[in-house]
Amino acid sequence: MTPAFIERLALRLRASGITACEYEEAGARLRLRIADDVPTEAHAVTPPGAAGQTPALLDPIRVRATGRLHFLHPSRGFDIPPEGAAVTEGQIVGFLGVGEVLSALTAHRAGVLGRRLAADGELVGFGQAVQELR
Amino acid sequence: MFDTVLIANRGEIALRVLRACKALGLKTVAVHSEADRALRHVTLADQALCIGPPSARQSYLDIREILLAARLTGAGAIHPGYGFLSESAAFAEAVEQAGLVFIGPSAQAIRRMGDKISAKAAMRAAGVPCVPGSAGALPDDLTNIEALGAAVGYPLIVKAAGGGGGRGMRIVREARDLPQAVALTREEAARAFGNPEVYLERFLAHPRHVEIQVLADAHGNAVWLGERDCSMQRRHQKVIEESPAVGIPREAIARIGAQCVNACLQIGYQGAGTFEFLYEDDEFFFIEMNTRVQVEHPVTELVTGVDVVREQLRIALGERLSLDQDQVQQRLQMCGHAIECRINAEHAWRFTPSPGVVRDWLAPGGPGIRVESHLYAGYEVPPHYDSLVAKLLAHGADREQAIARMRVALEELVIEGIDTNVALHQDLMREPGFVRGGFDIHHLEHYLAGRVGQEARA
């Protein structure tokens, strides 16, 4: 089971209008769910604090994988909350793309989204702060 | 070919590789851990990407993350530096399979030379002298093992095929101790290296460590770039390296150098490499080959004028070596003497690591002085990695001048905020054994033991 295989499977599901599937092979089990409002993976981490910083900078939303940041879903419309919007814990605030595979970037706690610290389409690395969260 | 190189390493060697890339007009990608965001080469690279937390296993040793970073940044080649994944055949293979260029030898060559038994077999076949010992892995049968031991003679040493850096070996002084030594080393080797194979060879009591630097391209050209004497060691870790080696006839060096070149051609080796030898009683004995650039490569650069990292990059680009053996020989006759002191972030006498913030850093200068370091004032040496923070090199018309310049440079060097081993180097530059030259690999351990004894008596 490779990322390319999962990507093909996701595309087939989407094309056929199927919203969920489970797949098993030796030692691995995959559950895919196509939905706009369910995060597939939590990517936010809580960084160590630093004296003298504002709460938003103390605890911004960070990615914990390497990839290309998307504040818009590249293949279809998806409502990403804008700066200033209130978000709940686990709410999708962006996507991280590696090739055609996207993972959801979610808020690690409830709060109000602040300034975006990385641009749409930017290559981001592990631990990078991408949006303030007040 | 490629125009962008991903540097899969950190510290001074990452900066060294970055500079060589830039000088060749190649773009650079620095991948780094969270602890290394402030490294100099990360700032200087065309692109930088954090690939994981401070743990080397989750960053600099994570093949998947490094390949992903290469894909995302459009890098066409990966330079592994030294340490980390530089001698991992699996990494080289993964890079090749990803359609990228591994700046180093093929995975097959790394695999072959990484196993001490197959490496020795290849060297014997190429006519390179090896320490007398078992032809391959020891058999299971105890009678055969005892017969091999008797043929080699005592004392002998039992070594793990997959070992290195002083690990996985046991000295046997009498025949009656051999069975237990073999059993214990096998057990340790299986646990530590995943390979229980062991072999035995003659134990050399007072050897020197002398190594030959080679370069080989894809067009059937190979050269040897003189030797380095790396006998000043503590716990198998090199502390000072120099070239040329004091007191070894140039004809003997030339003979072994030519044999190394021959071996490169026979095994189809490409890239930079180092053949390591023990030297005792006027004989060289091959111990292992390092299939990467060495920490101490600048010593060779100073006495040959050859930029080893630049050559690595050119070879990976499919170009021919920039000089032939005759040109190397001419340079070696004119290029004086070079010494390198490894500056570590550790207490000079207790050798305890000393991570922390470098409050002040002033590098020495003057004729013949070269400094390779990633340090700057305010930089924090992280606790997660090797303690090497700088390499201080002195070059002179002869050894005496090189030592004199090194003494001055060590006095000038300012590193505040962390402990370093500068005081050890200052002592060694005036220590009679070092000044005389030609010491064996146990010299530093004896010197340090004597120093402790003096302190105890005082």
Side-chain angles (χ1 to χ4, degrees):
Chain A
M1 197 183 303
T2 63
F5 170 80
I6 298 169
E7 183 187 334
R8 281 198 304 276
L9 194 58
L11 288 172
R12 282 195 177 191
L13 290 183
R14 188 166 289 158
S16 58
I18 298 171
T19 57
C21 85
E22 286 193 14
Y23 176 83
E24 273 187 50
E25 66 177 36
R29 184 173 185 184
L30 172 74
R31 182 178 296 164
L32 274 180
R33 184 171 170 190
I34 306 293
D36 289 348
D37 57 348
V38 178
T40 51
E41 187 182 351
H43 275 274
V45 290
T46 304
Q53 289 187 312
T54 62
L57 287 177
L58 270 177
D59 195 13
I61 296 168
R62 293 173 186 266
V63 292
R64 63 173 204 189
T66 308
R68 209 162 281 284
L69 183 66
H70 296 286
F71 286 118
L72 291 172
H73 193 287
S75 65
R76 59 187 172 140
F78 188 94
D79 285 338
I80 300 285
E83 291 177 2
V87 291
T88 55
E89 183 181 338
Q91 187 170 343
I92 295 176
V93 295
F95 292 94
L96 197 62
V98 179
E100 298 301 316
V101 178
L102 290 181
S103 8
L105 173 67
T106 59
H108 56 287
R109 62 175 169 82
V112 175
L113 290 176
R115 200 163 44 99
R116 285 176 178 166
L117 304 171
D120 187 63
E122 186 176 324
L123 189 55
V124 291
F126 181 92
Q128 187 171 333
V130 294
Q131 187 156 23
E132 294 175 353
L133 182 62
R134 297 192 191 93
Chain B
M1 261 301 152
F2 57 87
D3 65 0
T4 304
V5 176
L6 183 146
I7 303 165
N9 214 297
R10 64 177 304 281
E12 68 84 22
I13 190 62
L15 189 53
R16 170 76 183 88
V17 172
L18 177 130
R19 286 170 173 154
C21 289
K22 284 183 177 272
L24 279 173
L26 296 166
K27 288 182 283 196
T28 51
V29 176
V31 291
H32 60 90
S33 74
E34 276 190 306
D36 279 343
R37 287 184 192 282
L39 276 178
R40 188 77 181 120
H41 85 284
V42 172
T43 309
L44 294 173
D46 296 292
Q47 292 183 78
L49 203 54
C50 180
I51 56 168
S55 149
R57 193 175 54 80
Q58 294 173 275
S59 51
Y60 299 106
L61 292 172
D62 190 327
I63 293 176
R64 198 186 69 85
E65 280 299 321
I66 291 170
L67 290 177
L68 175 60
R71 181 178 161 199
L72 287 166
T73 57
I78 297 181
H79 196 303
Y82 53 68
F84 294 125
L85 292 169
S86 62
E87 291 186 282
S88 162
F91 180 52
E93 200 162 67
V95 172
E96 290 164 14
Q97 284 171 357
L100 306 173
V101 176
F102 179 77
I103 301 177
S106 66
Q108 187 191 12
I110 295 174
R111 195 167 281 124
R112 187 174 191 184
M113 302 315 286
D115 180 286
K116 291 196 169 192
I117 290 174
S118 65
K120 284 184 78 171
M123 291 305 104
R124 282 200 183 96
V128 175
C130 297
V131 185
S134 54
L138 290 182
D140 291 332
D141 178 62
L142 196 54
T143 312
N144 286 339
I145 293 174
E146 285 169 342
L148 279 167
V152 168
Y154 291 87
L156 55 77
I157 187 163
V158 179
K159 291 185 173 180
R167 298 187 309 151
M169 52 180 71
R170 188 163 270 104
I171 298 164
V172 183
R173 300 194 181 276
E174 293 179 53
R176 64 178 180 188
D177 297 330
L178 184 61
Q180 192 187 11
V182 169
L184 283 173
T185 312
R186 270 184 178 147
E187 193 184 312
E188 285 173 5
R191 226 179 17 243
F193 313 115
N195 175 4
E197 288 192 337
V198 299
Y199 62 101
L200 61 79
E201 61 186 27
R202 186 199 296 168
F203 175 65
L204 304 175
H206 302 290
R208 293 167 66 180
H209 176 121
V210 178
E211 59 189 31
I212 302 287
Q213 173 76 57
V214 293
L215 291 170
D217 66 21
H219 305 279
N221 305 304
V223 294
W224 62 277
L225 299 175
E227 81 282 20
R228 294 184 291 255
D229 186 334
C230 310
S231 302
M232 191 65 84
Q233 301 181 0
R234 177 180 171 269
R235 296 188 178 176
H236 303 282
Q237 298 299 312
K238 297 163 187 171
V239 176
I240 296 174
E241 302 96 343
E242 62 181 312
S243 182
V246 174
I248 302 180
R250 297 315 301 166
E251 304 76 40
I253 298 282
R255 257 197 314 278
I256 200 75
Q259 285 168 327
C260 292
V261 163
N262 184 40
C264 283
L265 297 175
Q266 283 205 20
I267 63 176
Y269 191 83
Q270 284 178 38
T274 299
F275 290 80
E276 295 193 335
F277 294 91
L278 293 177
Y279 179 80
E280 186 170 287
D281 298 331
D282 303 324
E283 282 187 272
F284 284 97
F285 301 101
F286 171 80
I287 44 176
E288 66 181 39
M289 183 180 193
N290 294 140
T291 55
R292 54 170 164 82
V293 69
Q294 301 267 103
V295 173
E296 60 271 24
H297 74 274
V299 171
T300 296
E301 295 183 328
L302 288 176
V303 295
T304 61
V306 176
D307 182 333
V308 172
V309 181
R310 178 177 182 269
E311 291 299 318
Q312 279 191 298
L313 293 164
R314 292 182 72 257
I315 292 166
L317 284 161
E319 296 178 20
R320 292 174 184 276
L321 291 178
S322 61
L323 76 177
D324 62 26
Q325 194 64 53
D326 288 342
Q327 291 168 307
V328 174
Q329 294 300 106
Q330 284 168 14
R331 292 184 183 197
L332 284 172
Q333 284 166 13
M334 303 167 56
C335 274
H337 198 97
I339 300 172
E340 175 180 274
C341 291
R342 294 192 188 196
I343 310 297
N344 296 332
E346 65 187 20
H347 190 277
W349 308 111
R350 293 195 300 269
F351 305 101
T352 44
S354 178
V357 176
V358 177
R359 286 201 312 273
D360 203 0
W361 159 256
L362 274 173
I369 297 301
R370 173 173 165 182
V371 180
E372 293 286 341
S373 177
H374 54 288
L375 290 192
Y376 55 86
Y379 172 73
E380 184 169 1
V381 178
H384 314 285
Y385 314 107
D386 185 85
S387 63
L388 181 76
V389 290
K391 301 186 307 202
L392 178 54
L393 291 112
H395 183 226
D398 52 30
R399 190 168 187 265
E400 193 181 354
Q401 187 179 48
I403 292 175
R405 286 176 168 172
M406 181 63 88
R407 286 175 185 156
V408 176
L410 286 164
E411 279 173 26
E412 272 187 39
L413 178 60
V414 176
I415 308 177
E416 297 291 344
I418 56 170
D419 288 335
T420 71
N421 61 348
V422 169
L424 169 66
H425 286 297
Q426 286 176 320
D427 264 29
L428 290 174
M429 286 299 128
R430 296 186 185 280
E431 191 270 319
F434 174 77
V435 172
R436 199 166 47 246
F439 42 86
D440 68 32
I441 59 171
H442 307 300
H443 182 81
L444 180 54
E445 299 278 11
H446 291 154
Y447 170 72
L448 291 170
R451 200 177 177 281
V452 170
Q454 279 177 0
E455 281 178 359
R457 285 191 295 276

Short mmCIF file of all heavy atoms in Angstrom, two decimals, chain A residues 7 62 65-68 97-100 123-128, chain B residues 34 37 47-53 64-65 68-69 71-73:
data_model
loop_
_atom_site.label_atom_id
_atom_site.label_comp_id
_atom_site.label_asym_id
_atom_site.label_seq_id
_atom_site.Cartn_x
_atom_site.Cartn_y
_atom_site.Cartn_z
N GLU A 7 -3.77 7.42 -3.28
CA GLU A 7 -4.20 8.56 -4.09
C GLU A 7 -5.14 8.09 -5.21
O GLU A 7 -6.20 8.69 -5.44
CB GLU A 7 -2.93 9.20 -4.68
CG GLU A 7 -3.17 10.43 -5.50
CD GLU A 7 -1.88 10.88 -6.19
OE1 GLU A 7 -0.78 10.59 -5.68
OE2 GLU A 7 -2.00 11.51 -7.24
N ARG A 62 0.84 25.00 13.60
CA ARG A 62 2.07 24.57 12.94
C ARG A 62 1.82 23.29 12.16
O ARG A 62 0.95 22.50 12.52
CB ARG A 62 3.16 24.27 13.98
CG ARG A 62 3.63 25.49 14.73
CD ARG A 62 4.57 25.10 15.86
NE ARG A 62 4.92 26.25 16.68
CZ ARG A 62 6.00 26.99 16.50
NH1 ARG A 62 6.87 26.69 15.56
NH2 ARG A 62 6.24 28.02 17.27
N ALA A 65 4.69 18.14 9.21
CA ALA A 65 5.16 17.33 8.10
C ALA A 65 5.66 18.29 7.03
O ALA A 65 5.40 19.49 7.11
CB ALA A 65 4.03 16.47 7.56
N THR A 66 6.37 17.75 6.09
CA THR A 66 6.89 18.58 5.00
C THR A 66 5.92 18.52 3.82
O THR A 66 5.42 17.45 3.49
CB THR A 66 8.25 18.01 4.55
OG1 THR A 66 9.07 17.87 5.71
CG2 THR A 66 8.93 18.93 3.57
N GLY A 67 5.66 19.65 3.21
CA GLY A 67 4.76 19.64 2.07
C GLY A 67 4.45 21.04 1.59
O GLY A 67 5.05 22.01 2.04
N ARG A 68 3.49 21.12 0.65
CA ARG A 68 3.10 22.41 0.12
C ARG A 68 1.79 22.82 0.77
O ARG A 68 0.84 22.05 0.81
CB ARG A 68 2.98 22.33 -1.41
CG ARG A 68 3.26 23.64 -2.08
CD ARG A 68 3.57 23.47 -3.55
NE ARG A 68 4.93 23.01 -3.83
CZ ARG A 68 6.02 23.76 -3.78
NH1 ARG A 68 5.93 25.02 -3.41
NH2 ARG A 68 7.20 23.26 -4.09
N GLY A 97 0.00 19.46 0.94
CA GLY A 97 0.05 18.60 -0.23
C GLY A 97 1.43 18.06 -0.51
O GLY A 97 2.42 18.77 -0.44
N VAL A 98 1.47 16.76 -0.82
CA VAL A 98 2.69 16.13 -1.33
C VAL A 98 2.26 15.45 -2.62
O VAL A 98 1.54 14.47 -2.59
CB VAL A 98 3.27 15.11 -0.35
CG1 VAL A 98 4.52 14.48 -0.94
CG2 VAL A 98 3.59 15.77 0.98
N GLY A 99 2.68 15.99 -3.74
CA GLY A 99 2.17 15.50 -5.01
C GLY A 99 0.67 15.75 -5.06
O GLY A 99 0.20 16.84 -4.79
N GLU A 100 -0.09 14.71 -5.36
CA GLU A 100 -1.54 14.84 -5.44
C GLU A 100 -2.22 14.49 -4.13
O GLU A 100 -3.43 14.56 -4.01
CB GLU A 100 -2.09 13.93 -6.56
CG GLU A 100 -1.56 14.26 -7.95
CD GLU A 100 -1.89 15.69 -8.37
OE1 GLU A 100 -3.03 16.13 -8.15
OE2 GLU A 100 -0.99 16.36 -8.90
N LEU A 123 6.13 26.09 0.19
CA LEU A 123 6.71 24.86 0.70
C LEU A 123 6.99 25.06 2.19
O LEU A 123 7.68 26.01 2.56
CB LEU A 123 8.01 24.57 -0.04
CG LEU A 123 8.68 23.23 0.18
CD1 LEU A 123 7.73 22.09 -0.11
CD2 LEU A 123 9.90 23.13 -0.72
N VAL A 124 6.45 24.20 3.03
CA VAL A 124 6.63 24.38 4.47
C VAL A 124 7.29 23.13 5.06
O VAL A 124 7.12 22.02 4.56
CB VAL A 124 5.29 24.66 5.19
CG1 VAL A 124 4.77 26.04 4.81
CG2 VAL A 124 4.26 23.60 4.88
N GLY A 125 8.03 23.35 6.13
CA GLY A 125 8.76 22.25 6.75
C GLY A 125 8.20 21.90 8.11
O GLY A 125 7.34 22.60 8.66
N PHE A 126 8.71 20.82 8.65
CA PHE A 126 8.26 20.31 9.95
C PHE A 126 8.32 21.40 11.01
O PHE A 126 9.33 22.07 11.17
CB PHE A 126 9.16 19.14 10.35
CG PHE A 126 8.79 18.52 11.66
CD1 PHE A 126 7.93 17.44 11.71
CD2 PHE A 126 9.30 19.03 12.85
CE1 PHE A 126 7.59 16.87 12.92
CE2 PHE A 126 8.96 18.46 14.06
CZ PHE A 126 8.10 17.39 14.09
N GLY A 127 7.20 21.57 11.72
CA GLY A 127 7.19 22.50 12.86
C GLY A 127 6.98 23.96 12.49
O GLY A 127 6.94 24.82 13.37
N GLN A 128 6.84 24.24 11.21
CA GLN A 128 6.73 25.65 10.79
C GLN A 128 5.37 26.23 11.20
O GLN A 128 4.32 25.62 10.99
CB GLN A 128 6.92 25.75 9.28
CG GLN A 128 6.97 27.19 8.78
CD GLN A 128 7.37 27.27 7.32
OE1 GLN A 128 8.07 26.38 6.80
NE2 GLN A 128 6.95 28.32 6.65
N GLU B 34 14.64 20.45 13.59
CA GLU B 34 14.15 21.62 14.33
C GLU B 34 15.26 22.28 15.14
O GLU B 34 15.23 23.49 15.37
CB GLU B 34 13.02 21.19 15.28
CG GLU B 34 11.68 21.12 14.61
CD GLU B 34 10.57 20.93 15.64
OE1 GLU B 34 10.67 19.98 16.42
OE2 GLU B 34 9.62 21.73 15.63
N ARG B 37 17.69 25.03 12.92
CA ARG B 37 17.17 26.12 12.09
C ARG B 37 18.17 27.26 11.94
O ARG B 37 18.17 27.97 10.94
CB ARG B 37 15.90 26.71 12.73
CG ARG B 37 14.69 25.83 12.64
CD ARG B 37 13.46 26.52 13.20
NE ARG B 37 12.37 25.58 13.36
CZ ARG B 37 11.61 25.14 12.37
NH1 ARG B 37 11.82 25.57 11.15
NH2 ARG B 37 10.65 24.27 12.60
N GLN B 47 17.27 27.12 -0.85
CA GLN B 47 16.02 26.69 -0.21
C GLN B 47 16.39 25.95 1.07
O GLN B 47 17.41 25.25 1.11
CB GLN B 47 15.24 25.72 -1.09
CG GLN B 47 14.66 26.30 -2.35
CD GLN B 47 13.84 25.23 -3.07
OE1 GLN B 47 12.72 24.94 -2.71
NE2 GLN B 47 14.42 24.65 -4.11
N ALA B 48 15.55 26.08 2.08
CA ALA B 48 15.77 25.34 3.32
C ALA B 48 14.46 24.72 3.76
O ALA B 48 13.39 25.32 3.58
CB ALA B 48 16.31 26.26 4.41
N LEU B 49 14.54 23.54 4.30
CA LEU B 49 13.34 22.83 4.69
C LEU B 49 13.61 22.04 5.96
O LEU B 49 14.56 21.24 6.02
CB LEU B 49 12.94 21.87 3.56
CG LEU B 49 11.49 21.43 3.48
CD1 LEU B 49 10.54 22.62 3.44
CD2 LEU B 49 11.29 20.54 2.26
N CYS B 50 12.78 22.26 6.96
CA CYS B 50 12.88 21.48 8.19
C CYS B 50 12.19 20.14 7.96
O CYS B 50 11.05 20.10 7.50
CB CYS B 50 12.22 22.24 9.34
SG CYS B 50 12.31 21.35 10.90
N ILE B 51 12.89 19.06 8.25
CA ILE B 51 12.33 17.75 7.93
C ILE B 51 11.98 16.93 9.17
O ILE B 51 11.52 15.80 9.04
CB ILE B 51 13.27 16.91 7.02
CG1 ILE B 51 14.66 16.78 7.66
CG2 ILE B 51 13.34 17.52 5.64
CD1 ILE B 51 15.53 15.76 6.99
N GLY B 52 12.21 17.46 10.36
CA GLY B 52 11.83 16.67 11.52
C GLY B 52 12.34 17.24 12.82
O GLY B 52 13.02 18.27 12.85
N PRO B 53 12.03 16.56 13.89
CA PRO B 53 12.48 16.99 15.22
C PRO B 53 13.99 16.78 15.39
O PRO B 53 14.64 16.21 14.51
CB PRO B 53 11.66 16.09 16.16
CG PRO B 53 11.30 14.92 15.35
CD PRO B 53 11.20 15.35 13.93
N ARG B 64 12.99 8.53 4.04
CA ARG B 64 11.74 8.93 3.40
C ARG B 64 11.58 10.46 3.39
O ARG B 64 11.23 11.06 2.38
CB ARG B 64 10.55 8.28 4.13
CG ARG B 64 9.27 8.24 3.36
CD ARG B 64 8.14 7.72 4.24
NE ARG B 64 7.80 8.68 5.28
CZ ARG B 64 6.94 9.69 5.10
NH1 ARG B 64 6.36 9.85 3.95
NH2 ARG B 64 6.68 10.53 6.09
N GLU B 65 11.87 11.06 4.52
CA GLU B 65 11.73 12.52 4.62
C GLU B 65 12.73 13.25 3.72
O GLU B 65 12.41 14.27 3.11
CB GLU B 65 11.93 12.98 6.08
CG GLU B 65 10.72 12.79 6.96
CD GLU B 65 9.50 13.57 6.48
OE1 GLU B 65 9.65 14.71 6.02
OE2 GLU B 65 8.39 13.02 6.58
N LEU B 68 11.54 12.91 0.18
CA LEU B 68 10.37 13.77 0.00
C LEU B 68 10.81 15.22 -0.17
O LEU B 68 10.31 15.94 -1.05
CB LEU B 68 9.45 13.62 1.22
CG LEU B 68 8.23 14.53 1.28
CD1 LEU B 68 7.33 14.31 0.08
CD2 LEU B 68 7.45 14.28 2.57
N ALA B 69 11.75 15.64 0.65
CA ALA B 69 12.25 17.02 0.55
C ALA B 69 12.89 17.25 -0.82
O ALA B 69 12.72 18.32 -1.42
CB ALA B 69 13.26 17.28 1.66
N ARG B 71 12.11 15.77 -3.57
CA ARG B 71 11.03 15.82 -4.57
C ARG B 71 10.33 17.18 -4.52
O ARG B 71 10.06 17.79 -5.55
CB ARG B 71 10.05 14.69 -4.25
CG ARG B 71 8.89 14.59 -5.21
CD ARG B 71 8.01 13.42 -4.83
NE ARG B 71 6.69 13.55 -5.41
CZ ARG B 71 5.62 12.91 -5.00
NH1 ARG B 71 5.72 12.07 -3.98
NH2 ARG B 71 4.46 13.07 -5.58
N LEU B 72 10.06 17.66 -3.31
CA LEU B 72 9.32 18.92 -3.16
C LEU B 72 10.14 20.13 -3.59
O LEU B 72 9.59 21.15 -4.01
CB LEU B 72 8.88 19.09 -1.70
CG LEU B 72 7.74 18.20 -1.24
CD1 LEU B 72 7.62 18.21 0.28
CD2 LEU B 72 6.43 18.64 -1.88
N THR B 73 11.45 20.03 -3.48
CA THR B 73 12.29 21.19 -3.80
C THR B 73 12.88 21.10 -5.20
O THR B 73 13.53 22.06 -5.65
CB THR B 73 13.45 21.31 -2.79
OG1 THR B 73 14.19 20.07 -2.80
CG2 THR B 73 12.95 21.58 -1.39
#
